[in-house]
Amino acid sequence: MNEINEILDAYKKASKANIRTALATVVKVEGSSYRRPGARMLVTETGQLTGAISGGCLEGDALRKALTAIHLQENRLVTYDTTDEDDAKLGIQLGCNGIVYILFEPLKPENENNPIAILSEVAGKREDAAIAVLFSLGGQQHTGTKFLLKSKNQFKNIPSFFNSNIEADLREVILTQTSVFKSYTCHNQPVTAFLEFISAPIAVVIAGAGNDAQPLAQMCHLLGWQVTVVDGRPAQATKQRFPTADDVLVAKAREVDLIKSDAHTAFVLMTHNYNYDVELLGRLLTTNTPYIGSLGPKKKLLKMLDELGLDTEPNRQRVHGPIGLDIGAETAAEIAVSIVAEIKAFFAGAAKEPLKDKVLPIHQHVGL
């Protein structure tokens, strides 16, 4: 979500300066590639790039392709094939041994349902969403980013001649939380649709405004997560100490659980105040908060659970304490890396194993 927000900000600046733009989207990948379908990059006619569609090897050529799309004011699908070992033929030295399909869409401000409007809808509220990007691998039917479905409302711009089950398919994408490819027909021609699942961003509530919470708040912000810092000490919980946090609150433990949470919310208990942590933990365990992390040794967590009369195996499994992955962390910044890694792995359903030990591909391929 952070990349989408950066693209939206860059588009606003370009529009204000009357600079034309195009959106480049990775819509399909065969084999290995640095970025997967759904990666996006905004290109301005002045050559400014925001976002990324590769590790840097495609951006130079993509800039030229985007400028052509802006000049012609039409969508273009470009294929980069590096399955041939002699990738110097392309002059871009991808080295990923894959085929990458990128759709370039010139953005037209007069079109109120252009791709930027759809991305704005995605970023506007904390809701899971599904986007349809339509293109043709063998023709010219590159309809582009034209449909968005959210759990509570829908926003569509599908041509009347486009007959398909796309809405039902998008609902299935949200239900399964899995991106897929589907085939449809447009003007009696086959069209491929990348139906992308976009999860609501993770929200992290950091209970504790000590110095060790500062790098954690900064790292969460860099990932595009929504960050709330809360502490009972007015001198500690200040915007000056946590400038990147979305909210900084001074509140007692009994008030913290009033903070709105959802299926993508993580609470981190790191106040270094036992009474504050134990009261907050007791309140959180009565909610459906999916992730609760407790800084400190396991014996501290077990003592808190016992004091609360909640020392059960399900609660031991539910609370991540000591919080974080074992990476040998010592400093506040290293501990923050450990915590962020565990939260990311938890919400991604990842196995938390070294990538070199993975048997399957790093990225899960979406189904055809």
Side-chain angles (χ1 to χ4, degrees):
M1 190 65 73
N2 196 36
E3 188 169 72
I4 290 179
N5 288 331
E6 290 175 351
I7 287 173
L8 293 175
D9 289 342
Y11 176 77
K12 288 179 183 178
K13 293 177 182 178
S15 296
K16 188 175 182 179
N18 292 319
I19 297 174
R20 295 187 299 174
T21 56
L23 183 68
T25 304
V26 177
V27 293
K28 187 176 176 63
V29 170
E30 298 173 7
S32 176
S33 175
Y34 185 81
R35 297 297 305 269
R36 307 307 297 170
R40 294 178 173 86
M41 181 176 72
L42 184 77
V43 183
T44 71
E45 62 182 337
T46 58
Q48 180 179 346
L49 307 178
T50 303
I53 52 174
S54 74
C57 44
L58 280 180
E59 275 67 8
D61 189 74
L63 170 60
R64 292 187 287 272
K65 298 296 192 300
L67 292 177
T68 300
I70 292 173
H71 176 72
L72 297 176
Q73 285 296 288
E74 62 181 29
N75 294 351
R76 300 188 66 201
L77 183 71
V78 177
T79 304
Y80 295 98
D81 187 350
T82 62
T83 55
D84 190 321
E85 291 184 1
D86 184 16
D87 58 17
K89 292 179 180 178
L90 289 175
I92 53 178
Q93 296 182 336
L94 262 175
C96 291
N97 196 32
I99 302 175
V100 184
Y101 300 85
I102 298 177
L103 181 66
F104 295 88
E105 301 175 80
L107 300 173
K108 303 173 183 178
E110 66 275 11
N111 179 3
E112 62 179 12
N113 289 340
N114 68 31
I116 287 295
I118 292 178
L119 293 180
S120 296
E121 282 282 318
V122 172
K125 295 180 180 179
R126 288 186 53 78
E127 292 181 55
D128 290 343
I131 290 180
V133 185
L134 310 173
F135 58 97
S136 175
L137 293 175
Q140 299 299 317
Q141 296 288 339
H142 306 311
T143 310
T145 306
K146 293 294 182 182
F147 194 100
L148 174 137
L149 185 72
K150 304 180 78 171
S151 56
K152 297 181 181 178
N153 59 73
Q154 62 186 45
F155 177 90
K156 59 173 116 177
N157 184 26
I158 295 294
S160 58
F161 52 77
F162 191 88
N163 185 18
S164 73
N165 297 319
I166 193 167
E167 185 170 346
D169 291 337
L170 283 168
R171 291 190 184 281
E172 183 68 15
V173 165
I174 290 180
L175 180 65
T176 61
Q177 300 187 1
T178 304
S179 301
V180 299
F181 287 100
K182 292 287 185 177
S183 296
Y184 304 113
T185 300
C186 182
H187 283 317
N188 296 320
Q189 297 295 321
V191 173
T192 299
F194 170 50
L195 307 184
E196 179 188 5
F197 173 72
I198 300 181
S199 174
I202 294 172
V204 178
V205 181
I206 304 173
N211 292 343
D212 56 348
Q214 291 175 309
L216 177 59
Q218 292 169 353
M219 291 182 190
C220 291
H221 170 75
L222 286 174
L223 292 173
W225 298 353
Q226 295 185 6
V227 182
T228 298
V229 177
V230 59
D231 198 299
R233 300 167 293 177
Q236 298 291 96
T238 67
K239 192 64 177 177
Q240 289 72 27
R241 284 173 50 78
F242 295 90
T244 61
D246 296 280
D247 288 297
V248 181
L249 308 173
V250 178
K252 297 178 180 179
R254 62 176 175 271
E255 299 170 324
V256 176
D257 60 340
L258 298 177
I259 297 174
K260 186 178 180 181
S261 64
D262 54 32
H264 305 283
T265 302
F267 275 81
V268 179
L269 280 58
M270 53 188 308
T271 65
H272 301 284
N273 181 319
Y274 180 84
N275 292 330
Y276 195 108
D277 282 357
V278 73
E279 182 177 353
L280 179 54
L281 176 61
R283 291 176 175 275
L284 291 175
L285 285 174
T286 65
T287 70
N288 294 323
T289 301
Y291 181 98
I292 304 170
S294 174
L295 186 70
K298 182 175 286 292
K299 63 180 181 181
K300 172 194 171 185
L301 172 60
L302 296 179
K303 180 181 178 181
M304 290 194 295
L305 291 173
D306 181 64
E307 185 174 319
L308 291 165
L310 298 172
D311 189 7
T312 64
E313 187 58 29
N315 283 339
R316 289 190 182 196
Q317 294 298 320
R318 183 180 176 191
V319 183
H320 300 259
I323 191 173
L325 300 184
D326 184 5
I327 60 172
E330 293 287 345
T331 67
E334 292 169 349
I335 292 170
V337 170
S338 170
I339 294 173
V340 166
E342 183 178 69
I343 293 174
K344 171 60 181 174
F346 174 84
F347 285 103
K352 295 175 286 190
E353 63 179 335
L355 291 177
K356 70 174 185 177
D357 293 337
K358 269 184 85 80
V359 176
L360 299 176
I362 296 175
H363 299 286
Q364 181 179 0
H365 292 275
V366 294
L368 291 173

